[in-house]
């Protein structure tokens, strides 16, 4: 039996970020992860796109959380690099938003209005400008399919495996007890003490936070906590080129290219409600390949080097759960970040620590409360 100030259930980007933030508040932390390694759930699978946002102008609660995180990411990346020597790949690479169908063009016009109203820099690029900022888009532009292209300079990218590795490193360095192959079966609270039971051990803590991503509903059910987190599969395809194909993240609808500085080229993604199936499918990967070749025909001569899938923790209303479990004093939840968990992780960590340490959260979290309708 062990005791720590905080027990974190789940070692994805949310759990690791909270564990690190808690250790910086001087709390002793135990982190329990089901798999043999931390950071191998959905977080590892992500593309690491951090779209532009603006905390000063955002009114929507999710956009405020995004805005807070967006401000924190560069500070976190700097600090992680100082402490670990790991470059997490955070780059302000900019995003290009491309429409090739009337529906996509209409959706982009709506996005443009939103960016303008929130004072997020965005400008329309005509074909010649687009070709000059991204020469590799020339074949697509020449195919006459382009209807609209917008450039958003404040979009960032992050390399998720490096970010997770750095987070694990600083957690261990700060004394976080990381227990892998430790599946939390249940948790309970009595006399202000929290108990979490795994197959082989019992852990006691002053507080507990559930960050089990898509699996949060299952463990919640064991403990009478109603969470409606649904796994939504996303798949990814990876190519390796001699040099980066694009400078920007290229977005079309829910598909994108993310080019890394070392020539890796990520192509994603899709949204599939198929339960807890984490494997890729030939049909989806073929669709990505076909879409990518439509942009850059030379990809047709290359073989992808890797593919994978991950389960995004989705919620019915699109908001994450961040808050105290109703009826319990020291049990909290931080999950359901769906397509934005990497982006929202820093903000989630500081806000949940505000709640755990009894401070007023620096952004309003009412809309994220556990047990909402
Ligand atoms: C293809 C794809 C692309 C994406 N792209 C982006 C992107 O560009 N930008 C962005 O911001 N987000 C992106 N996302 C979403 C992002 O990956 C998720 O929102 C985020 O990773 C969720 O983090 P998490 O820590 O909640 O979940 P996870 O990373 O899944 O971590 C939860 C952990 O809990 C563990 N666990 C489960 N049950 C238990 C238990 N009982 N006991 C102990 N441990 C347990 C799991 O093993 C897992 O490691 C993408 C997702 C996918 C699939």
């Amino acid at each position: 039996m062990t005791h720590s100030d905080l027990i974190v259930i789940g070692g994805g980007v949310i759990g690791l970020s909270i564990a690190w933030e808690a250790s910086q508040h001087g709390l002793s932390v135990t982190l329990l992860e089901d798999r043999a390694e931390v950071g191998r759930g959905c977080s590892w699978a992500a593309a690491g796109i951090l779209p532009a946002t603006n905390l000063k102008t955002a009114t929507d609660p999710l956009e405020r959380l995004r805005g807070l995180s967006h401000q924190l990411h560069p500070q976190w990346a700097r600090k992680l690099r100082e402490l670990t020597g790991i470059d997490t790949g955070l780059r302000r690479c900019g995003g290009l938003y491309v429409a090739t169908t009337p529906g996509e063009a209409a959706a982009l016009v709506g996005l443009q209005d939103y960016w303008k109203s929130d004072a997020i820099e965005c400008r329309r690029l005509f074909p010649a400008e687009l070709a000059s900022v991204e020469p590799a888009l020339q074949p697509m532009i020449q195919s006459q399919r382009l209807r609209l292209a917008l450039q958003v300079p404040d979009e960032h990218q992050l390399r998720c495996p490096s970010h997770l590795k750095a987070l694990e490193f600083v957690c261990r360095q700060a004394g976080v007890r990381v227990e892998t192959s430790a599946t939390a079966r249940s948790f309970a609270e009595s006399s202000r003490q929290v108990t979490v039971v795994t197959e082989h051990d019992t852990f006691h803590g002053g507080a507990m936070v559930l960050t089990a991503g898509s699996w949060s509903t299952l463990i919640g059910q064991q403990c009478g906590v109603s969470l409606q987190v649904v796994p939504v599969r996303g798949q990814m395809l990876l190519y390796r080129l001699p040099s980066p194909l694009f400078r920007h993240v290229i977005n079309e609808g829910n598909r994108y290219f993310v080019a890394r500085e070392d020539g890796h080229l990520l192509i994603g993604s899709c949204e599939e409600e198929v339960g807890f199936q984490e494997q890729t499918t030939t049909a989806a990967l073929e669709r990505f390949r076909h879409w990518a070749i439509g942009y850059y025909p030379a990809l047709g001569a290359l073989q992808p080097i890797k593919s994978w899938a991950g389960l995004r923790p989705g919620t019915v209303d699109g908001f994450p759960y961040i808050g105290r479990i109703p009826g319990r004093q020291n049990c909290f939840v931080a999950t359901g970040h769906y397509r934005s968990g990497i982006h929202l992780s820093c903000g989630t960590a500081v806000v949940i620590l505000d709640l755990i340490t009894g401070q007023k959260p620096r952004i309003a979290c009412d809309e994220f409360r556990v047990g909402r309708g």
Side-chain angles (χ1 to χ4, degrees):
M1 280 199 215
T2 53
H3 187 282
S4 42
D5 296 325
L6 179 67
I7 303 171
V8 178
I9 302 177
V13 73
I14 302 296
L16 286 165
S17 302
I18 291 172
W20 187 39
E21 183 67 16
S23 70
Q24 292 182 94
H25 279 69
L27 303 187
S28 60
V29 183
T30 298
L31 182 144
L32 306 175
E33 167 54 45
D34 176 45
R35 301 185 195 219
E37 286 175 60
V38 296
R40 298 298 296 194
C42 182
S43 302
W44 190 91
I49 304 169
L50 316 180
T53 182
N54 188 345
L55 179 59
K56 286 194 193 126
T57 52
T59 49
D60 174 79
L62 190 59
E63 281 312 304
R64 289 192 55 72
L65 181 62
R66 197 186 295 280
L68 174 63
S69 282
H70 206 72
Q71 285 186 348
L72 291 172
H73 265 289
Q75 298 167 28
W76 280 44
R78 215 173 304 120
K79 199 157 177 196
L80 288 173
R81 190 167 190 162
E82 273 165 27
L83 293 173
T84 68
I86 297 173
D87 173 6
T88 60
L90 183 74
R91 301 285 184 272
R92 191 177 187 268
C93 56
L96 286 176
Y97 287 75
V98 174
T100 64
T101 66
E104 285 175 359
L108 263 194
V109 171
L111 257 182
Q112 189 179 20
D113 286 346
Y114 152 71
W115 285 319
K116 277 191 182 149
S117 69
D118 272 24
I120 295 167
E121 190 184 346
C122 151
R123 74 182 182 107
R124 182 168 184 182
L125 295 184
F126 290 94
E129 291 172 293
L130 184 61
S132 83
V133 298
E134 285 295 359
L137 286 179
Q138 196 80 50
M140 193 278 276
I141 296 165
Q142 280 167 355
S143 73
Q144 306 287 324
R145 289 181 297 131
L146 179 69
R147 286 178 181 264
L148 182 59
L150 301 174
Q151 184 185 38
V152 183
D154 197 32
E155 186 152 311
H156 290 58
Q157 63 162 288
L158 178 71
R159 288 187 90 143
C160 300
S162 308
H163 182 67
L164 293 161
K165 205 166 142 199
L167 281 175
E168 180 185 359
F169 191 104
V170 291
C171 280
R172 289 185 187 274
Q173 202 177 46
V176 173
R177 179 173 170 186
V178 178
E179 294 278 331
T180 52
S181 304
T183 312
R185 298 277 181 222
S186 66
F187 57 83
E189 187 181 82
S190 64
S191 317
R192 299 199 155 217
Q193 177 167 275
V194 174
T195 305
V196 179
V197 177
T198 66
E199 229 159 66
H200 305 293
D201 284 298
T202 300
F203 297 85
H204 295 297
M208 183 281 303
V209 55
L210 176 62
T211 68
S214 287
W215 298 269
S216 300
T217 304
L218 304 179
I219 179 161
Q221 275 166 359
Q222 303 294 318
C223 311
V225 179
S226 168
L227 295 169
Q228 290 176 306
V229 182
V230 182
V232 182
R233 185 171 66 186
Q235 304 191 37
M236 199 82 85
L237 199 56
L238 182 69
Y239 285 84
R240 178 91 201 237
L241 287 90
S243 56
L245 190 59
F246 302 116
R247 284 195 306 117
H248 297 75
V249 174
I250 312 291
N251 300 279
E252 182 188 349
N254 66 355
R255 287 157 302 181
Y256 47 76
F257 291 102
V258 184
R260 307 296 193 199
E261 285 171 353
D262 62 3
H264 281 111
L265 180 68
L266 284 170
I267 299 166
S269 188
C270 53
E271 290 157 39
E272 303 165 304
E273 288 196 35
V274 290
F276 287 92
Q277 296 181 53
E278 273 182 278
Q279 62 275 54
T280 57
T281 62
T282 312
L285 298 181
E286 216 19 73
R287 272 200 307 276
F288 296 170
R289 199 169 142 75
H290 187 256
W291 175 75
I293 290 169
Y295 271 75
Y296 193 70
L299 281 178
L302 297 177
Q303 282 306 312
I305 59 167
K306 202 167 175 173
S307 60
W308 62 84
L311 300 178
R312 304 180 188 97
T315 61
V316 176
D317 58 11
F319 283 176
Y321 290 107
I322 302 175
R324 181 176 275 112
I325 295 177
R328 318 227 178 160
Q329 199 58 36
N330 294 309
C331 294
F332 298 83
V333 174
T335 191
H337 295 77
Y338 192 39
R339 294 191 70 151
S340 304
I342 304 295
H343 202 179
L344 301 175
S345 54
C346 314
T348 299
V350 299
V351 161
I352 203 94
L353 256 295
D354 286 342
L355 292 169
I356 291 171
T357 56
Q359 311 294 312
K360 183 175 186 281
R362 58 200 79 183
I363 57 163
C365 289
D366 295 351
E367 307 290 341
F368 307 144
R369 71 188 176 280
V370 183
R372 62 184 185 262

